[in-house]
Amino acid sequence: MKYKALVAKYLAETLNLDAQMVEGNLETPPQEDMGDFALPCFRMAKELRKAPQKIAEDFANQLTELPEYISDIKNAGAYVNVFLNRALYCQDFVGEALAIGEQFAHTGIGEGKTILVEYSSPNIAKPFHVGHAFSTIIGDVLAKMYQHQGYNVVRLNHLGDYGTQFGKLIVAYELWGDEEKLTSDPIGELLRIYVRFHKEAELRPELDLEARARFKALEEGGANEYRLWQRFRDLSLKEFESVYKRLGVHFDSYNGESFYSDKIPAVVKELEEKGLLETSEGARVVKLDELDLPPCIVLKSDGSTIYATRDLAAAAYRYETYNFDKCIYVVGLPQNLHFKQVFAVLAKAGHNWAKNLVHVGFGLVKFPGDRKFSTRSGDVIYLEDLLNEAVSKTREIIVANNNGREVPMSEEEINETAEAIGLGAVRYTFIRSGRERDIVFEWEDILDFEGDSAPYMQYAFARAHSILRRSGVTPEEAMQLSPAGLGSDSEFALCREMAQLNIALQQATDNNEPSILARQVMTVCRAFSRFYNQMPILQADNIQQREARLALCAAFVSVLQTTLGILGIRTVERM
RNA sequence: GCACACGUAGCUCAGCAGGAUAGAGCGGCCGCCUCCUAAGCGGCAGGCCGUACGUUCGAAUCGUAUCGUGUGCACCA
């Protein structure tokens, strides 16, 4: 980053060009032997009335007095290729990385700003399956990315804890509920009676009427209904929280749909007063024709509210409460239109903060052959089961490797390591690709711990750690190691990739796209794997080289610790 | 029908504020553990970047059209 600006400045000054223009045009050549930065000269052709190749050639000829950070400049076709002083570059990077530690890639760009992230948002009384993990993990990583940039992050879990389904649950529970099972396996029991309700209601339609009545009673403060609803909610939340804890996810608020229900009338009143509501086919709607959007229904024809109304109320409440600079909704892609409408209504109501609301959509988790998850038919994978499976497979691998170890792992270390690796593997499958892509759920893919996977990265970390451990230098000493003398291909490549993490985090944040960061962290790990396979570290030729390579290892460990941390992937010292 | 995504190697995906021979992982084939943990490393094979026009000195990247897939489009969330 820093070097790009330096190179641009040098080129601009020597060639009498605009520094910003040069930096904007400067690119990374596709191949290593073409140097580290390249200036394409096509665009100057018209103005200078010369062939681009000729321009590049002339430029290269003028660039004879090189600053110390540039080792060479060559002309190739229409490009001016710049070769960095690798030793200096590596020394600089490693020294800085060791000095700043966990502040690595911290820009402070979000200092003093508040950002709200709404994510996860499961429905109460329904099992937490692999599909919910998508929102949960994307949201968690986004929150961590923003936090690392200095933002004040507020994590919101907009629970689906309201609606006619609760009338059904109340009826079903009174008819078939099993108190004991509700205590031992709350969601399992709630799901059982919910499924049964739907089955029986097909034959006895009066059940649906009863359910509607009970939901109405709940809304109107019926004591019995409220007590049951509260119980279902508490029990479900308790189960969700255990999954969250395991995933390393937490929330600042669990205010869900029910929380906003009493804040709806004010919103409706406001829209009414601003003359935005119109009656259409019996419903009260806000028309959005001028934006080429279908009207947003605010009140149904029976006068009751709808999810859009709740989202309107929630947004307003959040702005009043947090005065946010940005509020992002990590909700599935299919709801894109819904959010466009909600945001448009708020803007139309004159709230200029509506422009700071953003929907961050993500794809679907499905089975091969476009088979969708279905809670009701039982055709789903529960997240808990997936996590357990991943951890137990990891455990098998660790146990198998444990036999040949000099210092075998204790039972406790095996368990902790298996948990960290297994969960890492699952987490990574949700952030490795662009979030808008669908994920096809295949056990073999998720439980493949080789190649493009979190365990690969965790393994690289463990190897680096192991080298440091064997070297005998303490972590404090490691920070003082001299990185002078680095500069071989693999050493330089590793430093360059690590330096790219800054930009990757920035882009990932700008686009609300964790995969951009995840991908670069992966690239760094690959560069490290190559490095330690190619270069003897503990048995380096001389002391200076050994020390410099250890410093590089220490820098890698430090950088990876913080970036994997942002991704929510735990590190282990051995695996 | 309208809108929004997506279509890149056998599979899963990068690359898309246009630039030098299109990248990675998996799978396939061939090598590497007397040497820092083989969850690793090296190598080979594999692609008219859906199709057709257009813009440009230059297009996987931008525009238009077209085909295919997915999703959404009023009282469910």
Side-chain angles (χ1 to χ4, degrees), chain A residues 16-18 21 41-52 55 59:
Chain A
N16 204 12
L17 298 166
D18 180 62
M21 182 278 280
C41 300
F42 302 97
R43 274 171 214 153
M44 292 98 125
K46 236 169 232 164
E47 198 186 326
L48 300 177
R49 302 169 57 113
K50 275 199 285 193
I55 298 173
F59 279 175

Side-chain angles (χ1 to χ4, degrees), chain A residues 103-304:
Chain A
Q103 290 299 304
F104 181 81
H106 178 103
T107 56
I109 205 171
E111 226 62 67
K113 291 184 186 154
T114 295
I115 180 160
L116 272 49
V117 187
E118 174 192 307
Y119 62 107
S120 198
S121 312
N123 285 329
I124 291 297
K126 297 234 181 88
F128 200 92
H129 61 71
V130 169
H132 296 114
F134 215 148
S135 170
T136 308
I137 289 167
I138 296 278
D140 179 57
V141 177
L142 289 177
K144 289 182 162 95
M145 290 188 330
Y146 280 107
Q147 205 151 40
H148 195 76
Q149 307 262 27
Y151 287 89
N152 170 36
V153 179
V154 182
R155 297 151 208 251
L156 307 173
N157 194 330
H158 193 74
L159 291 176
D161 59 1
Y162 216 55
T164 45
Q165 61 201 2
F166 289 94
K168 294 176 186 175
L169 276 173
I170 289 166
V171 172
Y173 186 72
E174 288 177 348
L175 287 172
W176 315 296
D178 180 328
E179 175 59 36
E180 215 169 284
K181 278 197 205 148
L182 185 66
T183 315
S184 61
D185 175 20
I187 291 180
E189 172 63 2
L190 290 171
L191 180 65
R192 183 186 69 85
I193 61 173
Y194 187 70
V195 168
R196 179 157 177 194
F197 180 92
H198 278 277
K199 216 180 281 169
E200 304 236 359
E202 279 176 29
L203 305 170
R204 301 160 56 191
E206 68 273 18
L207 284 177
D208 276 322
L209 293 176
E210 172 70 7
R212 214 163 300 156
R214 297 306 287 274
F215 177 64
K216 197 155 185 252
L218 173 63
E219 273 195 299
E220 287 161 3
N224 256 345
E225 289 80 7
Y226 184 80
R227 191 180 48 79
L228 277 175
W229 172 82
Q230 183 75 32
R231 181 119 194 274
F232 297 158
R233 189 182 190 275
D234 287 349
L235 287 169
S236 301
L237 198 48
K238 211 171 149 203
E239 254 190 83
F240 292 154
E241 277 179 321
S242 80
V243 183
Y244 290 143
K245 191 173 175 203
R246 202 173 170 193
L247 290 173
V249 171
H250 76 272
F251 295 93
D252 300 301
S253 162
Y254 283 102
N255 289 340
E257 292 165 12
S258 66
F259 177 83
Y260 297 103
S261 66
D262 66 358
K263 292 162 186 63
I264 286 177
V267 172
V268 176
K269 191 170 166 234
E270 182 202 345
L271 296 176
E272 203 76 74
E273 282 170 1
K274 290 184 175 162
L276 297 174
L277 286 177
E278 297 177 38
T279 302
S280 168
E281 294 173 39
R284 300 288 284 161
V285 308
V286 177
K287 289 220 168 137
L288 302 166
D289 295 350
E290 69 279 12
L291 296 165
D292 275 324
L293 291 172
C296 180
I297 297 182
V298 175
L299 291 176
K300 300 192 272 191
S301 38
D302 67 359
S304 59

Side-chain angles (χ1 to χ4, degrees), chain A residues 396-425:
Chain A
E396 280 170 32
I397 297 172
I398 295 172
V399 169
N401 292 344
N402 207 24
N403 299 326
R405 258 177 232 282
E406 301 169 27
V407 186
M409 287 189 187
S410 67
E411 197 62 18
E412 195 191 355
E413 189 182 357
I414 290 176
N415 288 336
E416 280 173 11
T417 308
E419 181 79 6
I421 306 299
L423 290 194

